[in-house]
Amino acid sequence: MTTLAVATKQLLERLHDPTVDVDAEFVVAPTSMEEAAEILAAAADVGQAVAFYGAGTHRQIGNPVDADLVITTTAMNRIIDYQPDDLTVVVEPGVTLGELEAALTDRKLTAVLPETEPNATVGGVVAAGRSGYRRLRYGPTRDRVLQATVATGYGKVVTGGSPVVKASTGYGMTRLFTGSFGTLGLIGPVLLKLWSQPRATATIVVDDPEVARNAAYRPFAVLGTRGTGRIYLGGTKEEVEAQAEAIGGRSSDGLDWPQPHDPPLRLSFRIPARFVDEAVLAARDLDATGWVAQYGVGIVEAGYDRITSDGFAAARSWAESVGGTLVIEASPDDLRRELGAWGSPPESVELQREVKDRFDPAGICNPGILPGGI
Amino acid sequence: MARAVDELTALLGDDRVRDHPLDQHLFAKDAGLRRGGAPIVVFPESSDEVAAVVKIAGAHGMPIVARGAGTGLAGGAVPQEGSLLVVLTRMNRIFEIDEVGRTAWVGPGVVNLDLSEATADRGLHFAPDPSSQSACTIGGNVATNAGGPHCLAEGSTVAHILGVELVTADGSTVILGGEAPDTPGYDLRGVIVGSEGTLGIVTKVLVRLTENHLDAATLLMAFDTIEDAARTVSEVIAAGVVPAALEMMDKPMCVAVENFVQAGYPTDAAAVLLADVLGHPAGTAASIELLSDIAVRNGATSVRVATDESERALLWKGRKSAFGAIAQAAPDYYLNDTVVPRTRIAEVISKTYEIAERYDITLMNVFHAGDGNLHPLVSFDAAEPGMTERVVAAAREMVTVAVAAGGTLSGEHGIGFEKRDLMSSVFSPEDLDAQARLREAFDQDGVLNPGKVLPEGSRCFDWGPA
Ligand SMILES: Cc1cc2nc3c(=O)[nH]c(=O)nc-3n(C[C@H](O)[C@H](O)[C@H](O)COP(=O)(O)OP(=O)(O)OC[C@H]3O[C@@H](n4cnc5c(N)ncnc54)[C@H](O)[C@@H]3O)c2cc1C
């Protein structure tokens, strides 16, 4: 056992001594996955709940977790193996998106992760299964996580997936881990598939995003915000120019993504793509201060100063009635406790619980953060 | 067993339950090498019927094996004696197509090519295009995470499946994933893809459809050495250009194809590369130029560019009839499906030829070079004594070479029965144990396709602290 693991184990024993009254959050930063696994094994021994943080940029997503012990990935922050000629990279979880993209610029490559969250960590983004706007063209993040190493809730280091760009070798463990919100264990190094940046890009302001989407050939993204629609193109210079001309509207070079703002409350409508316009109306009815609608994808993220419980309940039941969800992506903890971060649990919740029980038998990893108390 | 047959017959009628020795013989094998035991074969026509037959099998302790068209190459659909073999080819309806969301709900028995043909008038297609696409089913594609030439740019089947309806081991039905993105909770939809019938039977599939390209060109590039062709592939990828497809065929393969379909392939080149450039008309010219430049720089002896649809179709017909073509060489074939980093293709291929020479077997190569997905194919006659064993031994050595170069066992065919004992060459005992835990979460009693994917004894650890 490493010194940190031993110290953590002693700390955990003290925390569980009924005569000691502690009311604090302890943060440990393991430097390897083996060390993280030892800490998890010790926590499982005493049944101590553990939360995981990367940069902590998405601490408010999911149901609030009560955990006195926090494992952060900040001490695992290296780019381990960059293979530009094979379009792959292996990164530790604490590397930020900004750092990763900076390392890829020498060969004009990109990992196609969220464009406007440079401080988020790779581990956090993979754990939360977050994708950027370019998913319309390149697919969601989970399509690019080719291999992942996890320190499981039962204290072992496990690698799933394959170290190549295409595989049908064993179960889709990377699919299971991506978006698991740390409920199966701590997500460590991941092997990501890269794409090259196109030689030319453009952002075009359009009136009707849906019409523009149909006129464009495989755009990066088609976004609607208050008062404007934008379509994002990439390709060769000739291709981008020809398309800009065909679509019409004001065009400028480069990708001008909507700037994130930090409202006290953030909701995400995830609905079948044909309901995006209706979701925008629903978001506005709740008095959104701003929103970004992803056409062709089916996500509308909206910011609020406050919401009423009734209005929220109506919006959530509409989203669920069309086969989607309304997720609270940021709020004070109390509000998520009251309304539930996710809404009705998915039909497969019992199967999900079976999975959780086998990867985290002691129930210590981010307990309750997912729907259905998983 | 007789009781089970009676119950199944009461449910499905005589003609949809088969236990005649001829049927049992026919269905005891897929397109791989091994033959299994005699199954009871059923042909359900709805999800409810699948659920009901699974319950009957459960009550009689029969293993349950799902089967699509049986074109699998890993023995995934090969039953053991006394299994219930659930053939899904009659569940072949396309239920609804959503043009705005570009999705469709389809039955698992829909044939891959039929789906793209049914959506063509809307300018859409199903991107995964295995060479077997005129026969294999969407359910089989889901279960094997099938690939195909055009998965280079578009991704394998998993990137094109948004949801599935699954009948689980206990005969209940559940929908995983769906039309809305990022369903909260675990991505069990993604886990089902590639699970080879061991986690449940897929009874409906929500597919993502891809918009058709506006412009297309196919390049046929010839080389004097395999190394030149392989280096061209590596350099194309390293340049960041991802063509829609990038396939390689070696000389023996080109000769076989030419004899078979006269597609206009050179028969004197050591290797050819077939590339597809698809996209917006204003962009294809630049990509063609870039590819040709790289090929010429790496010693291409000729570069032919086909932009005319019929000429393109003929070149692709050559590629897609490769498996048919090799039947003229010998009655049987065996192929590997390893994937290696794109920087290591030349080196691994040349070692593969050395192995073939040492074992004195006929090797042909036709593969998805752009992905590094190798298909060294041995053509042989299984009737020759000791031949099958020799072929399998050589194939294993080829796998070892690919794994040593940082590769993996299968890119698109799956593990099935034929490769399961090689799993420990790419996964540690802990890794296999984790996969076994996942499987157990879906199927505690191990009734679904037992003996496939994971080697015996994968579940090696205790459940840890309770
Ligand atoms: C000539 C030839 C060329 C080929 N080319 C390619 C290629 O380019 N790319 C490629 O990826 N593959 C290729 N294959 C392999 C094969 O066609 C694919 O693996 C295909 O996806 C199998 O589909 P199927 O319907 O025949 O499935 P089957 O062979 O019937 O079954 C395959 C596996 O899927 C499971 N299964 C089938 N249906 C279901 C279901 N509904 N629910 C759960 N499990 C199910 C079975 O249990 C089995 O494990 C080729 C095969 C041949 C013979």
Side-chain angles (χ1 to χ4, degrees):
Chain A
M1 267 186 140
T2 65
T3 326
L4 178 67
V6 171
T8 310
K9 194 169 164 58
Q10 283 163 355
L11 171 71
L12 288 172
E13 275 151 16
R14 276 190 63 75
L15 282 176
H16 281 262
D17 178 344
T19 63
V20 180
D21 183 19
V22 268
D23 184 20
E25 182 180 83
F26 295 89
V27 180
V28 291
T31 53
S32 73
M33 290 306 281
E34 287 67 28
E35 190 168 62
E38 284 172 356
I39 294 168
L40 283 167
D45 268 344
V46 294
Q48 169 65 51
V50 185
F52 305 107
Y53 290 162
T57 56
H58 291 101
R59 279 166 86 143
Q60 296 182 325
I61 194 165
N63 296 322
V65 173
D66 289 317
D68 296 333
L69 181 66
V70 171
I71 299 185
T72 109
T73 55
T74 46
M76 288 188 272
N77 58 1
R78 290 166 313 151
I79 294 175
I80 305 175
D81 188 12
Y82 175 32
Q83 296 291 341
D85 290 348
D86 197 28
L87 304 182
T88 60
V89 67
V90 182
V91 266
E92 289 189 325
V95 171
T96 66
L97 305 192
E99 289 160 356
L100 175 58
E101 288 295 310
L104 304 177
T105 49
D106 64 336
R107 294 281 295 268
K108 290 203 161 46
L109 299 176
T110 171
V112 205
L113 296 171
E115 294 81 4
T116 56
E117 300 171 22
N119 298 324
T121 60
V122 170
V125 166
V126 171
R130 283 185 75 76
S131 300
Y133 296 128
R134 287 169 293 173
R135 71 184 289 167
L136 181 64
R137 163 92 157 249
Y138 294 107
T141 296
R142 59 178 95 251
D143 284 355
R144 286 179 300 281
V145 180
L146 303 174
Q147 196 175 41
T149 296
V150 169
T152 64
Y154 54 94
K156 295 279 178 197
V157 179
V158 159
T159 298
S162 298
V164 284
V165 293
K166 177 184 186 187
S168 180
T169 303
Y171 294 101
M173 303 300 283
T174 54
R175 303 271 163 183
L176 178 64
F177 296 141
T178 306
S180 64
F181 280 87
T183 58
L184 306 174
L186 176 75
I187 295 180
V190 289
L191 186 136
L192 300 172
K193 177 174 169 176
L194 305 174
W195 283 93
S196 70
Q197 311 250 24
R199 275 168 283 171
T201 51
T203 305
I204 306 178
V205 177
V206 294
D207 290 336
D208 186 330
E210 197 64 82
V211 169
R213 180 168 86 93
N214 288 319
Y217 178 74
R218 303 206 179 183
F220 275 178
V222 183
L223 304 182
T225 52
R226 185 191 291 280
T228 32
R230 284 196 181 80
I231 184 158
Y232 300 80
L233 303 173
T236 62
K237 193 159 164 289
E238 298 74 26
E239 196 179 343
V240 168
E241 280 170 1
Q243 288 215 60
E245 175 121 4
I247 294 166
R250 194 157 39 79
S251 168
S252 53
D253 288 349
L255 301 170
D256 177 18
W257 301 115
Q259 278 319 299
H261 58 312
D262 251 323
L265 272 165
R266 206 166 64 231
L267 304 183
S268 168
F269 291 80
R270 303 177 185 173
I271 36 72
R274 62 180 179 279
F275 293 112
V276 168
D277 277 328
E278 278 157 79
V280 168
L281 290 179
R284 278 174 38 184
D285 281 350
L286 288 175
D287 288 330
T289 51
W291 65 85
V292 179
Q294 301 186 42
Y295 286 84
V297 172
I299 295 180
V300 177
E301 282 190 317
Y304 298 87
D305 289 331
R306 70 191 72 78
I307 45 171
T308 65
S309 305
D310 288 353
F312 176 80
R316 178 171 266 173
S317 84
W318 170 77
E320 293 184 357
S321 75
V322 300
T325 50
L326 178 55
V327 176
I328 306 179
E329 296 216 320
S331 80
D333 283 0
D334 283 346
L335 192 78
R336 292 201 311 296
R337 276 198 190 96
E338 182 196 329
L339 300 175
W342 307 101
S344 313
E347 223 185 285
S348 61
V349 69
E350 285 315 315
L351 263 178
Q352 305 211 17
R353 219 183 298 285
E354 294 285 344
V355 174
K356 164 79 173 175
D357 288 348
R358 283 170 177 78
F359 283 82
D360 179 20
I364 54 159
C365 297
N366 263 347
I369 194 170
L370 285 180
I374 289 171
Chain B
M1 195 74 106
R3 285 264 312 282
V5 173
D6 290 346
E7 286 170 36
L8 292 164
T9 309
L11 180 75
L12 302 177
D14 273 341
D15 63 323
R16 293 199 284 135
V17 180
R18 312 258 178 89
D19 61 346
H20 187 277
L22 180 64
D23 289 315
Q24 291 185 325
H25 184 78
L26 270 175
F27 283 99
K29 202 176 164 298
D30 62 5
L33 277 185
R34 317 278 162 136
R35 174 167 293 282
I40 309 293
V41 188
V42 292
F43 297 86
E45 288 175 358
S46 69
S47 307
D48 288 345
E49 285 185 356
V50 173
V53 301
V54 164
K55 283 187 185 139
I56 293 173
H60 294 279
M62 299 165 78
I64 301 160
V65 181
R67 178 179 170 111
T71 67
L73 291 167
V78 172
Q80 50 180 267
E81 186 73 29
S83 301
L84 181 73
L85 188 72
V86 184
V87 181
L88 295 138
T89 47
R90 295 196 184 191
M91 291 173 60
N92 59 352
R93 272 183 55 204
I94 296 175
F95 294 95
E96 52 186 78
I97 300 172
D98 168 13
E99 258 174 84
V100 178
R102 294 174 187 156
T103 61
W105 273 107
V106 307
V110 170
V111 168
N112 175 299
L113 191 59
D114 290 350
L115 176 55
S116 289
E117 283 176 356
T119 55
D121 60 344
R122 300 164 206 242
L124 300 170
H125 69 286
F126 182 61
D129 61 338
S131 308
S132 52
Q133 71 184 140
S134 54
C136 66
T137 64
I138 300 295
N141 296 164
V142 169
T144 55
N145 190 19
H150 291 88
C151 291
L152 173 56
E154 306 288 7
S156 297
T157 297
V158 67
H160 305 276
I161 303 302
L162 301 174
V164 294
E165 180 188 78
L166 187 78
V167 169
T168 55
D170 62 359
S172 48
T173 304
V174 64
I175 291 186
L176 306 173
E179 278 180 281
D182 302 343
T183 319
Y186 302 131
D187 179 17
L188 298 184
R189 159 211 68 98
V191 165
I192 291 306
V193 181
S195 65
E196 304 190 46
T198 62
L199 304 183
I201 298 185
V202 175
T203 47
K204 246 189 199 177
V205 186
L206 179 66
V207 298
R208 186 164 78 83
L209 298 168
T210 300
E211 76 183 285
N212 291 348
H213 47 268
L214 300 175
D215 194 26
T218 302
L219 282 77
L220 184 71
M221 300 164 271
F223 298 87
D224 275 342
T225 70
I226 296 273
E227 288 71 26
D228 288 349
R231 258 204 328 275
T232 301
V233 173
S234 300
E235 209 175 299
V236 166
I237 299 299
V241 217
V242 178
L246 185 55
E247 304 280 306
M248 196 194 292
M249 290 164 79
D250 67 2
K251 185 172 181 170
M253 199 69 243
C254 289
V255 172
V257 163
E258 272 309 295
N259 285 340
F260 193 55
V261 292
Q262 294 89 42
Y265 285 29
T267 48
D268 52 350
V272 302
L273 289 178
L274 188 69
D276 237 5
V277 173
L278 307 178
H280 190 274
T284 42
S287 303
I288 294 171
E289 196 181 311
L290 214 112
L291 283 173
S292 321
D293 285 354
I294 294 176
V296 168
R297 209 178 322 131
N298 284 287
T301 52
S302 75
V303 176
R304 183 171 138 200
V305 182
T307 47
D308 169 87
E309 263 318 301
S310 61
E311 199 186 347
R312 284 191 61 232
L314 187 62
L315 287 179
W316 276 102
K317 186 175 173 201
R319 165 63 185 88
K320 297 221 165 172
S321 19
F323 289 85
I326 53 154
Q328 27 161 346
D332 301 287
Y333 63 82
Y334 185 71
L335 79 166
N336 280 337
D337 181 36
T338 54
V339 189
V340 298
R342 275 88 53 101
T343 45
R344 311 284 297 267
I345 296 173
E347 158 200 346
V348 173
I349 293 271
S350 67
K351 285 190 183 151
T352 304
Y353 281 111
E354 278 165 35
I355 294 167
E357 202 162 310
R358 198 151 30 79
Y359 280 87
D360 189 21
I361 50 180
T362 311
L363 181 69
M364 303 185 182
N365 273 294
V366 48
F367 63 98
H368 312 304
D371 290 310
N373 188 186
L374 311 180
H375 286 339
L377 185 154
V378 182
S379 145
F380 67 104
D381 184 352
E384 236 178 89
M387 193 58 182
T388 306
E389 292 70 28
R390 206 155 92 217
V391 169
V392 170
R396 290 217 165 188
E397 266 196 51
M398 293 175 194
V399 170
T400 308
V401 165
V403 169
T408 197
L409 302 176
S410 171
E412 52 180 29
H413 300 161
I415 298 303
F417 177 68
E418 300 196 353
K419 289 169 225 150
R420 67 165 201 174
D421 292 331
L422 298 171
M423 285 284 274
S424 50
S425 67
V426 287
F427 291 111
S428 73
E430 283 89 347
D431 301 343
L432 289 173
D433 173 69
Q435 297 190 35
R437 283 173 194 251
L438 174 64
R439 181 169 182 163
E440 214 172 72
F442 281 82
D443 180 16
Q444 278 84 336
D445 305 322
V447 297
L448 293 170
N449 219 356
K452 310 291 169 60
V453 185
L454 295 179
E456 252 164 85
S458 291
R459 194 70 167 79
C460 55
F461 295 101
D462 210 46
W463 281 22

